[in-house]
Amino acid sequence: MTPRPGVREYVRLIALGRPPVGWRTTDVTTWSLARLAGRLIDRLVVPRMSRGTLRRILREGKVS
């Protein structure tokens, strides 16, 4: 399942920010693929998201 273009842009914007303090984190400053996918699912942005799909979206958007 490939997310819509608007969803892909939202994923990129979230990935560029810092994870919220206390949200499944212990004071981390960057997202892991697993945490980012979990956040997107918890926020009901997508029903599911594989790390491979997430990696591809970030790579296409030049988000490292």
Side-chain angles (χ1 to χ4, degrees), residues 4 18 32 36 38 58:
R4 297 179 317 274
R18 291 180 67 160
S32 69
L36 182 54
L58 297 176

Side-chain angles (χ1 to χ4, degrees), residues 5-15 40 43 45:
V7 171
R8 286 187 285 242
E9 184 59 30
Y10 184 76
V11 168
R12 290 180 198 122
L13 290 173
I14 295 294
L40 296 168
R43 304 268 317 211
V45 175

Side-chain angles (χ1 to χ4, degrees), residues 5-64:
V7 171
R8 286 187 285 242
E9 184 59 30
Y10 184 76
V11 168
R12 290 180 198 122
L13 290 173
I14 295 294
L16 289 170
R18 291 180 67 160
V21 174
W23 188 87
R24 295 186 186 181
T25 64
T26 53
D27 203 28
V28 297
T29 59
T30 58
W31 290 101
S32 69
L33 290 175
R35 278 195 185 108
L36 182 54
R39 178 69 169 186
L40 296 168
I41 293 166
D42 287 351
R43 304 268 317 211
L44 304 176
V45 175
V46 292
R48 62 186 177 275
M49 173 74 69
S50 73
R51 288 185 299 186
T53 299
L54 187 52
R55 186 179 292 117
R56 188 179 72 245
I57 291 169
L58 297 176
R59 192 175 297 141
E60 288 171 357
K62 296 181 177 48
V63 177
S64 57

